[in-house]
């Protein structure tokens, strides 16, 4: 790699985010500084039933100042990504999945944070128990046909990066293998 870190300074540490300033040697050999955010990795889950309806959640997002429609998911909180995906799906939707398949991983803000988002496809859905935290008190669950969800991506209704990518990857898989064939 062309970058070399020579020193790290912690500028802020909170319960969910840390801000650091690194002294670096850039790829061209010149010295500089680089500020970045440390947060935990996250997950997003495309939960789809046999009729190709996708579970979506809508929630108030403070920084966006609006409600955001997205896939279930959240921070890994130190768990393996697949374990966190199963946990987040049940916490936010009250759904348990019999089959959880990895779709891929993205680096949503590589110039700002090293945190990654792991993407999953969940099928074989069954009732579980929702356990939303205080920040999710206004969260709602809705089901939409996969075709309508893809239209929501295209028209800008669904904009959260992990949700967009996970839905497009899931659609590629589901085009050749419907959810019923992905069941145990």
């Amino acid at each position: 790699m062309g970058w070399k870190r020579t020193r790290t300074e912690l500028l802020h540490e909170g319960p969910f985010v840390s801000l650091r300033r690194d002294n670096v040697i850039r790829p061209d050999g010149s010295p500089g500084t680089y500020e970045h955010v440390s947060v935990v990795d996250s997950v997003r889950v495309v939960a789809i039933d046999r009729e190709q309806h996708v579970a979506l959640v809508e929630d108030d997002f403070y920084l966006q100042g609006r409600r955001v429609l997205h896939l279930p998911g959240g921070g890994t909180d130190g768990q393996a990504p697949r374990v966190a995906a199963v946990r987040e799906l049940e916490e936010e939707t009250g759904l348990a999945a019999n089959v959880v398949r990895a779709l891929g991983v993205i680096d949503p803000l590589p110039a700002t944070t090293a945190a990654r988002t792991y993407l999953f496809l969940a099928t074989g859905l069954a009732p579980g128990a929702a356990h939303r935290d205080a920040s999710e008190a206004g969260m709602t669950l809705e089901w939409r046909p996969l075709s309508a969800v893809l239209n929501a991506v295209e028209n800008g209704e669904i904009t959260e990066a992990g949700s967009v990518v996970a839905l497009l990857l899931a659609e590629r898989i589901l085009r050749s293998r419907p959810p019923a064939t992905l069941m145990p």
Side-chain angles (χ1 to χ4, degrees):
M1 183 170 115
W3 292 81
K4 181 180 177 190
R5 177 178 35 222
T6 59
R7 181 174 167 260
T8 296
E9 176 185 5
L10 180 63
L11 301 176
H12 169 78
E13 185 163 23
F16 302 107
V17 64
S18 297
L19 175 62
R20 301 182 191 293
R21 179 183 298 128
D22 293 347
N23 288 355
V24 297
I25 304 297
R26 297 184 186 111
D28 69 359
S30 65
T33 59
Y34 200 103
E35 294 176 349
H36 57 97
V37 176
S38 296
V39 294
V40 298
D41 290 339
S42 64
V43 295
R44 286 286 175 230
V45 183
V46 180
I48 190 162
D49 67 14
R50 289 180 179 271
E51 290 77 36
Q52 292 205 10
H53 288 88
V54 177
L56 297 168
V57 292
E58 187 175 56
D59 202 8
D60 295 308
F61 275 68
Y62 173 73
L63 292 177
Q64 283 70 27
R66 62 183 166 83
R67 290 185 65 76
V68 175
L69 185 65
H70 58 92
L71 293 172
T76 58
D77 299 334
Q79 294 177 312
R82 181 179 306 276
V83 173
V86 169
R87 175 184 48 78
E88 284 289 338
L89 176 64
E90 188 167 6
E91 284 179 0
E92 292 186 358
T93 67
L95 296 168
N98 289 321
V99 178
V100 178
R101 173 184 178 160
L103 292 171
V105 61
I106 61 171
D107 296 309
L109 295 167
T112 305
T113 183
R116 307 186 91 194
T117 302
Y118 294 85
L119 312 172
F120 295 90
L121 175 63
T123 57
L125 304 175
H131 299 286
R132 295 181 180 147
D133 65 36
S135 69
E136 300 165 332
M139 182 180 281
T140 57
L141 169 66
E142 68 176 84
W143 289 90
R144 291 190 191 180
L146 178 60
S147 59
V149 173
L150 294 171
N151 287 337
V153 168
E154 290 177 11
N155 71 29
E157 184 182 2
I158 296 175
T159 58
E160 190 274 323
S163 297
V164 170
V165 176
L167 287 163
L168 296 176
L169 290 171
E171 190 272 337
R172 291 184 71 192
I173 291 169
L174 295 167
R175 192 177 329 138
S176 62
R177 295 184 65 200
T181 66
L182 299 171
M183 304 296 170

